[in-house]
Amino acid sequence: MNCDNEEIDISITIGNSHNWNIIIPGKTYYFNVKRNIQIIELLELFYENFKDEELLEIKRYSLFTKKMIKLNDDDTLDLLFNNYSRLDIIDKDISIFYAMIV
């Protein structure tokens, strides 16, 4: 069964910050996206939550999995989920991502 177009709930949490006056660590953003969305498309959705100085700063961040594996812009989320069902994705906490500056 092909689940590429299935929608899933994911979250992106700010993992760290060089300047707490601009970006506050720990804040979480929630999205409902298709499993086959590219990371660059997900980042564009994420960027919609920021403006001005915050937006310039957050664009310096990269996305990481919960296991701290860096995601490449042209990767798709479905590569991470393999053949997992929605419940497996939730149970394994693999729908949680971190935006971090390194």
Side-chain angles (χ1 to χ4, degrees), residues 18-40:
H18 284 200
N19 185 340
W20 284 40
N21 292 323
I22 299 172
I23 301 293
I24 299 172
K27 187 165 183 182
T28 301
Y29 301 85
Y30 299 91
F31 304 92
N32 182 272
V33 296
K34 293 189 184 216
R35 287 171 71 131
N36 64 353
I37 190 171
Q38 283 189 301
I39 299 304
I40 190 68

Side-chain angles (χ1 to χ4, degrees), residues 52-81:
D52 304 325
E53 192 175 10
E54 290 177 337
L55 180 59
L56 292 174
E57 181 69 13
I58 205 70
K59 284 189 172 188
R60 298 176 51 209
Y61 283 57
S62 297
L63 279 188
F64 291 82
T65 66
K66 189 172 181 181
K67 294 182 179 181
M68 290 300 126
I69 298 169
K70 184 178 179 183
L71 301 175
N72 297 314
D73 287 350
D74 24 336
D75 288 344
T76 58
L77 285 184
D78 59 345
L79 292 175
L80 302 170
F81 302 144

